[in-house]
Amino acid sequence: GAAQAAAYGGWSGAPGMAAEPPAKRMKTGPGINVANLVPGTKEYFVAQVKCYQASGEEQKQLWANYVDLYLGGIRDPARHDAGTLMEFAVNHHLAPPSSASTSPVVMDPMKEPLVQRV
């Protein structure tokens, strides 16, 4: 964040900042660059679902159960339309796609709406 940028003397060379070459940015999956995602687009929701699945075995299983029950068992989020993915994201309180290179933080569903307001 900003503290890291200051510690590195500004933007140049700070990890994860805009000056970094695109090849070094964390990707959520093949060809998805989180920094370029526009909220509300299909690509955004695909990344959101993929990040959700990557956040833990319980989340991965919930997605699997959801697609088995409602979406014909098709587990690849990219094969579903934006509206379908948005419905899953809203109903299951998915966090925005993350570019964090550390292991994803699993958000407490009760606290998540409060965090979103901050």
Side-chain angles (χ1 to χ4, degrees):
Q4 276 184 322
Y8 285 90
W11 291 96
S12 63
M17 293 299 167
E20 192 174 56
K24 290 187 179 179
R25 286 195 187 134
M26 175 69 180
K27 291 185 178 182
T28 56
I32 298 176
N33 186 339
V34 174
N36 295 334
L37 292 173
V38 177
T41 62
K42 178 179 175 176
E43 292 75 21
Y44 179 89
F45 293 122
V46 168
Q48 194 174 26
V49 171
K50 286 185 176 187
C51 287
Y52 178 75
Q53 289 181 82
S55 67
E57 196 54 43
E58 189 178 325
Q59 289 80 0
K60 193 174 185 178
Q61 193 58 50
L62 190 137
W63 170 251
N65 292 343
Y66 184 85
V67 299
D68 287 348
L69 193 60
Y70 301 111
L71 306 176
I74 300 169
R75 300 204 175 170
D76 180 2
R79 293 178 60 192
H80 299 289
D81 62 49
T84 300
L85 298 172
M86 183 182 78
E87 185 177 330
F88 178 82
V90 169
N91 290 340
H92 295 90
H93 310 289
L94 270 57
S98 170
S99 61
S101 57
T102 58
S103 59
V105 176
V106 178
M107 183 66 72
D108 180 340
M110 300 304 289
K111 294 178 183 171
E112 203 257 345
L114 299 174
V115 172
Q116 293 299 322
R117 289 194 306 193
V118 174

